[in-house]
């Protein structure tokens, strides 16, 4: 079999970070090629480059060679990708609800009435609805779906919409490469099976498929080959005969020599915060029956793949997600969403989306550091008797800020510098400084090291440990960086599909973690 | 920093003002008189402009719904007249009653705005406009007894304009006027305005003000930090409404009439132009911007028409004035959108 | 009271644009018919009717009150309808209202008092349907040629001639300067700009200085406030320049709130308002307390104004017409129609001449009025009322 797509030395840099580093990849004609890798391993960047996504162009393009059908090409935008015969099905639907299925499938490639086309030209020719319908039926039947193409799309269920998306791609005459980004994420088991078998049929038609999924069983079942991405590099590639789920999982997470920073602590099982059978609505999802206990004094890690709900606990409490159920803090019942009460009780949150939710980017450093304390305590009030209308002690605030800048080694011009102008690592330090200033009992931190350089990563991890031990703050860290969690956490919770899937010890094997993250039971692997 | 830069709207208006000043000198309109009037215009409109600040600084945008607060102030004025309270007592009563009503109005208004976050400016415009017919209904039906304020022919319903001459016309304008040579400075009026400015300035040095500005800068941040956003937004909106009520009282005592019915209809727009000229954005505004913007805009108003009449191209100057003031609003909105969202294409 | 409430409710409904177009005339009739119906039983009124249509209370108070007064004075005879609130947008409804009046076989005269244009087709239709009905405009502003052709009697204020009379009056009162305030959209109207030119001509003839000042335009978006603010600033400047023997004239009614207010302070002359009436601006500026029962008693209101003028030392420096022309013309038209029907007079011979019209005004209203036919048309008369000096 010859190759339809050959990529050599593909590199993509976002500012200082390599999202892809010298990736070599080959897709053979008529094969289904699985791409697996943890979050941020570079899979989506890879697909974005191949599909000419505008993000790539706006951030400086890519380097490396892409050879499609033996022709060296540079993919500059989406329409050139489509011209080259690349089709992509996104995780989010790109369908127009008010149009019927046939119109959605044939959009921009409508069959036209020949006579009117001759007279009026392409743009104003009459659309041949009948032939559109026939084409759509044909495309849908390849997928094994029997549905009337004149139905409007907004009436369809999620799984059918997914099939319509795929049908639109396979209806393209010149389709050579079909890329599917987690197509089964929104499908139930039965429909997933249907989809997988239809992929096989598409393959028989002669198209090649790049398939991304977090469900390893699926990948192993339908792919001819699997390539594993990690940290922007291709770490391994297996053909059908060599498939081995535990091994693939290991490749994904990487076998890192983990130096434990954490000292053994004696954690008594004193419950500080407990979630019992709570229900959370986030995005389009709804999860019920979530329970978790957080012990006093521990550092608890929460990990899992993106979108599996690592952030539901802090966001549920702070009314970003809708949460309801029995939540107790120190045995006292609290109402999720009553943010004032919750913060007053000593729960503080540093969100993972630092720039969007964690900082006042256009305000100076000092305001970012003292903001929450001004709001929560009387520490910086000149005349506490005036309550909220008291003037603030500027000198005390400035002094505190200076101390924090020194203690945490925040690199900045002075305390008046705008936070926007700081680097990611220093911004995160400002966040931590703010959290420490409020002296919380329980601190939630989301992705503390995301987008931060190596040196600062270590500093921040140290800082978290120090806060935990010296200030006796219970910390809950949610992160996709398993290695880091293992270094600082006492226990690690693995989330899968919005629920607490398993709670592991940091010294459990990487394999156990990899499988848990992918939703496979430990018992299975031990068998 | 960003605020210290002189922005394009200010440059345009300053150039326009300079040209007017030169022309005024050339054609010999008494400049001292104009300066004296400019003080009064500055302070009489200043409070209304100031009323925009609290709402901007809780992230609720420009208060295009100002007619709501103004209506509250008008009710206060009418009640003071109904009770035939004259002088300082009447004026203070009008402001207190107006403020109390403004609290109620502001509460309802904030309920609407908090439900429709992100579209405050449009919703505010609609709310303000649709509030006018409701108030018109009120003015025609309210059973006031003081015949100085009722329709002369029908004998029922309030007049479109009520004279304050017998009550408190010019109570601030004409008290404590300090004369320096030919210059007359209405100290009471300016002092009253500056005290209000100081109070607002002080507010932003307190915890409440601190939190409010954070809400307007990054609502999600404030929420995650445990701030009940709607509570602060409600506070800001009520404060704006109260200031608008006080603002119309100050405006009316200078103006000499209480203007009911469609009077408040367009009042939000010059105020918004003023604060934008001062350099505010719809996310943050300072008292300094209020002071500068109001003075610049009102002085151009003051100068442009006598100049126009003198050089006999009245229509053109009128059109130019409209273009400049409305153009600045448009520019400010474009600039806000352009620099932050679509800058990098 | 009930009726007034009804009308107010209706006005509100229209403001909110909730009322359906077709529904409005019906509602009006519901409000009107019982009122007149009741009275008929009591007085056994003659078996004819006179219809008058005016704007609503909120869009023009005077005409509405005039219609209302006539209903009270001649119950069972006069039938009063109102045009939709926003006539320009609902002209069709307005026209159908006019025509609907002619459906009543007892209807003998139809009067339109509006001060707007576009109503002529309605009156034409009435004439086609019922040539016996007398049609009177008091006033409408359609094309004069056509109005003279299709309407029996056209009455209006003589706007252009006032360009001469006002200046002459101001001169007689001692004015040396005549200031004319207006703004672009007003000056674009032919009548107003013609009047201004006439004023200028007359002033020059009489040796007065004529000063023209343009104010911010209230019709271009910002409302009247900037215009009035400007007057507040500009009037003292002008008086300082030209002295108190100056007459100030403004082309827009709301201006007089400020002009008269400043006149009381600065003692300059106001010979006549643009729409001369004791009920506008004077009560506001002078803080008149007019008791409800005196609300249509113009003699009393005039007396009150004279007294206040005296207090301000302004006796003889303010002048106007003793009653609002917007009340006078509609009422005059109703009286005229009633007279013509009662006496079965021949319009052309008995009624449509200056002598009769002037005398009829003096007899019925007690005010001197000077009618002149417009461009020698025999059924188009323009009037000027005698002045009252406060």
């Amino acid at each position: 079999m010859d190759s339809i797509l050959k990529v050599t030395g593909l590199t993509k840099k976002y500012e200082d970070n390599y999202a892809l580093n010298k990736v070599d990849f080959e897709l053979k004609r008529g094969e289904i090629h699985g791409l697996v890798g943890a979050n941020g391993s570079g899979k989506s960047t890879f697909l974005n480059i191949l599909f000419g996504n505008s993000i790539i162009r706006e951030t400086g393009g890519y380097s490396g060679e892409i050879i499609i059908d033996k022709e060296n090409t540079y993919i500059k935008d989406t329409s050139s990708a489509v011209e080259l015969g690349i089709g992509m099905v996104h995780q989010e639907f790109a369908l127009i609800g008010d149009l019927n299925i046939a119109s959605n499938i044939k959009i921009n490639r409508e069959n036209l009435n020949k006579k009117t086309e001759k007279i009026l030209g392409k743009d104003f020719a009459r659309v041949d609805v009948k032939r559109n319908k026939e084409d759509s039926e044909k495309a849908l039947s390849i997928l094994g779906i029997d549905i009337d193409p004149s139905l409007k799309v907004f009436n369809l269920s999620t799984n059918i919409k997914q099939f319509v998306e795929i049908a639109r791609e396979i209806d393209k005459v010149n389709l050579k490469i079909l890329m599917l980004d987690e197509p089964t994420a929104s499908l139930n088991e039965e429909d997933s099976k249907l989809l997988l078998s239809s992929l096989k049929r598409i393959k028989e038609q002669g198209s090649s498929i790049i398939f991304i999924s977090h469900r390893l069983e699926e990948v192993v079942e339908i792919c001819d080959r699997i390539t594993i991405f990690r940290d922007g590099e291709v770490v391994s590639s297996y053909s059908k005969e060599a498939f081995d789920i535990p091994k693939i999982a290991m490749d994904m997470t990487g076998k890192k020599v983990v130096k434990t920073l954490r000292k053994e602590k004696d954690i008594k099982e004193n419950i500080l915060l407990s979630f019992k059978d709570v229900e959370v609505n986030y995005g389009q999802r709804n999860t019920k029956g979530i329970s978790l206990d957080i012990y006093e004094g521990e550092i608890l890690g929460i990990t899992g793949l993106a979108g599996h709900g690592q952030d539901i606990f802090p966001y549920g409490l702070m009314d970003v997600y809708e949460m309801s159920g029995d939540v107790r803090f120190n045995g006292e019942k609290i109402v999720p969403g009553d943010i004032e009460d919750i913060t007053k009780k000593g729960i503080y949150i540093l969100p993972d989306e630092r720039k969007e939710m964690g900082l006042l980017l256009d305000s100076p450093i000092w305001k970012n550091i003292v903001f929450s304390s001004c709001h929560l305590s009387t520490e910086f009030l000149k005349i506490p008797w005036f309550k909220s209308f008291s003037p603030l002690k500027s000198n005390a605030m400035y002094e505190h800020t200076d101390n924090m800048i020194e203690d945490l080694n925040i690199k900045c011009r002075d305390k008046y510098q705008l936070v926007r102008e700081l680097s990611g690592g220093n911004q995160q330090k400002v966040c931590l400084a703010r959290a420490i200033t409020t002296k919380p009992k329980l601190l939630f931190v989301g992705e503390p090291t995301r987008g931060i350089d190596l040196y600062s990563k270590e500093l921040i991890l140290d800082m978290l440990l120090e806060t935990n031990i010296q200030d006796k703050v219970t910390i809950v860290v949610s992160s996709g960086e398993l290695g880091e969690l293992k270094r600082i956490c006492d226990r690690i919770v693995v989330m899968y599909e919005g629920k607490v899937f398993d709670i592991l010890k940091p010294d459990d094997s990487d394999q156990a973690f990899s499988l848990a993250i992918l939703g496979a039971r430990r018992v299975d692997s031990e068998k | 920093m960003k605020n210290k830069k002189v922005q394009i709207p200010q440059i345009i208006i300053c150039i326009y003002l300079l040209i007017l000043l030169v022309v005024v000198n050339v054609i010999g309109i008494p400049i001292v008189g104009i300066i004296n009037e400019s003080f009064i215009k500055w302070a009489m409109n200043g409070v209304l402009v100031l009323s925009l600040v609290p709402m901007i600084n809780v992230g609720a945008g420009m208060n295009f719904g100002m007619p709501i607060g103004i209506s509250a102030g008008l009710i206060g004025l009418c009640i003071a007249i109904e009770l035939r309270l004259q002088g300082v007592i009447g004026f203070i009563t009008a402001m207190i009653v107006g403020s109390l009503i403004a609290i109620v109005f502001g509460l309802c208004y904030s309920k609407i705005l908090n439900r429709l976050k992100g579209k405050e400016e449009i919703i505010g415009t609609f709310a303000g406009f649709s509030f006018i017919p409701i108030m018109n209904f009120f003015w025609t039906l309210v059973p006031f007894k003081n015949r100085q304020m009722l329709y002369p022919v029908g004998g029922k319903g309030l007049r479109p304009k009520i004279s304050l001459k017998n009550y408190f016309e010019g109570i601030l304008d004409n008290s404590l006027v300090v004369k320096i040579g030919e210059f007359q400075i209405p100290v009471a009026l300016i002092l009253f305005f500056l005290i209000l400015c100081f109070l607002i300035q002080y507010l932003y040095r307190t915890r409440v003000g601190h939190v409010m500005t954070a809400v307007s800068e990054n609502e999600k941040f404030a929420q995650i930090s445990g701030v009940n956003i709607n509570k602060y937004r409600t506070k800001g909106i009520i404060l704006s409404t109260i200031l608008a009520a006080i603002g119309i009282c100050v405006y009316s005592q200078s103006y000499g009439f209480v203007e009911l019915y469609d009077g408040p209809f367009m009042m939000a727009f010059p105020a918004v132009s003023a604060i934008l000229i001062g350099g505010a954005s719809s996310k943050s505004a300072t008292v300094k911007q209020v002071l500068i913007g109001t003075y610049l805009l009102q002085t151009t108003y003051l100068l442009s028409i006598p100049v126009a009449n003198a050089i006999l191209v009245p229509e053109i100057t009128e059109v130019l004035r409209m273009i400049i003031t409305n153009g600045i609003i448009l520019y400010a909105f474009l600039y806000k959108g352009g620099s932050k969202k679509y800058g990098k294409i | 009271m009930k009726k007034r409430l009804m009308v107010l409710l209706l006005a509100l409904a229209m403001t909110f644009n909730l009322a359906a177009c077709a529904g409005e005339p019906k509602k009006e009739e519901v409000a009107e018919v019982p009122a007149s119906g009741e009275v008929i039983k009591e007085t056994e009124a003659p078996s004819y009717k006179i219809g008058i249509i005016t704007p609503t209370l909120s869009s023009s108070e005077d005409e509405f009150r005039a219609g209302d007064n006539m209903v009270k004075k001649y119950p069972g005879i006069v039938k009063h309808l109102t045009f939709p609130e926003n006539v320009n947008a609902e002209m069709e409804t307005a026209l159908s209202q006019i025509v609907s009046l002619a459906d009543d076989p007892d209807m003998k005269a139809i009067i339109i008092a509006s001060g707007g244009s576009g109503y002529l087709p309605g009156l034409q239709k009435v004439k086609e349907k019922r040539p016996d009905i007398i049609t009177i405009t008091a006033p409408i502003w359609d094309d004069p040629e056509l109005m003279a052709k299709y309407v029996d009697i056209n009455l209006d204020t003589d706007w252009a001639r006032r360009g001469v009379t006002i200046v002459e009056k101001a001169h007689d009162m001692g004015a040396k300067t005549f200031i004319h305030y207006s703004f672009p959209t007003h000056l674009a109207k032919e009548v107003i700009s013609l009047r201004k030119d006439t004023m200028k001509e007359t002033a020059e003839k009489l040796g007065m200085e004529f000063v023209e000042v343009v104010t911010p335009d209230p019709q271009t978006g910002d409302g009247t406030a900037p215009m009035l603010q400007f007057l507040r600033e500009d009037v003292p400047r002008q008086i300082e320049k030209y002295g108190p023997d100056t007459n100030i004239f403004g082309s827009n009614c709301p201006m007089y709130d400020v002009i008269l207010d400043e006149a009381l302070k600065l003692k300059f002359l106001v010979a006549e308002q643009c729409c001369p009436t004791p009920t506008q601006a004077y009560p506001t500026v002078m803080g008149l307390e007019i008791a409800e029962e005196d609300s249509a008693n113009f003699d009393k209101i005039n007396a009150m104004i004279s007294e206040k003028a005296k207090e301000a030392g302004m006796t003889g420096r303010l002048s106007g017409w003793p009653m609002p022309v917007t009340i006078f013309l509609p009422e005059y038209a109703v009286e005229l129609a009633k007279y013509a029907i009662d006496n079965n007079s021949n319009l052309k011979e008995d009624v449509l001449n200056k002598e009769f019209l002037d005398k009829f005004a003096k007899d019925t209203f007690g005010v001197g009025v000077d009618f002149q036919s417009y461009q020698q048309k025999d059924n188009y008369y323009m009037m000027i009322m005698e002045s009252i000096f406060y």
Side-chain angles (χ1 to χ4, degrees), chain C residues 148 372-381:
Chain C
Q372 280 193 4
S373 93
Y374 175 66
Q375 293 180 349
Q376 274 77 48
K377 290 183 186 28
D378 59 356
N379 62 351
Y380 202 127
Y381 277 89

Side-chain angles (χ1 to χ4, degrees), chain A residues 340 362-363 367 374 389, chain B residues 202 207 213 217-218 223 231:
Chain A
E340 274 181 307
D362 290 317
S363 290
K367 189 170 175 183
C374 284
F389 292 101
Chain B
Y202 169 80
R207 180 152 102 183
T213 47
E217 189 181 331
N218 189 338
Q223 185 186 347
K231 207 168 94 185

Side-chain angles (χ1 to χ4, degrees), chain B residues 208-240:
Chain B
V208 184
H210 227 66
V211 176
M212 279 179 175
T213 47
V215 170
S216 96
E217 189 181 331
N218 189 338
E219 204 179 288
K220 280 275 174 241
F221 169 83
Q223 185 186 347
I224 293 284
S225 307
V227 174
N228 185 337
I229 291 170
N230 282 356
K231 207 168 94 185
Y232 279 92
R233 281 171 56 101
T234 306
K235 280 181 190 169
I237 292 166
I238 290 179
L239 189 58
S240 267

Side-chain angles (χ1 to χ4, degrees), chain B residues 112-177:
Chain B
I112 298 171
L113 291 190
N114 284 343
R115 269 167 182 262
L116 298 158
K117 265 181 216 166
K119 298 180 210 120
E120 288 89 351
E121 284 166 357
I122 277 292
I123 300 296
T125 314
F126 274 95
F129 281 1
S130 50
F131 202 68
I132 301 242
I134 297 176
M135 286 313 293
N136 285 354
F137 196 46
F138 174 80
W139 303 129
T140 14
L141 287 186
V142 64
F144 280 159
K145 291 280 175 295
N146 185 345
R147 302 213 63 84
Q148 288 188 8
M149 53 202 283
L150 302 185
Y151 263 127
V153 180
K156 280 227 166 58
L158 297 180
R159 290 174 193 171
K161 276 201 205 82
I162 301 167
S163 171
L164 284 176
K165 185 176 276 167
N166 299 331
Y167 301 95
F168 36 80
E169 180 182 0
I171 185 112
L172 292 174
D173 289 20
N174 301 332
S175 346
L176 290 176
V177 179

Side-chain angles (χ1 to χ4, degrees), chain C residues 264 267 286 304-315:
Chain C
L264 293 178
K267 319 290 177 211
M286 295 177 157
M304 288 164 95
I305 295 174
S306 294
E307 195 182 321
K308 290 274 181 186
K310 200 174 157 195
E311 274 173 34
M314 285 289 283
T315 305

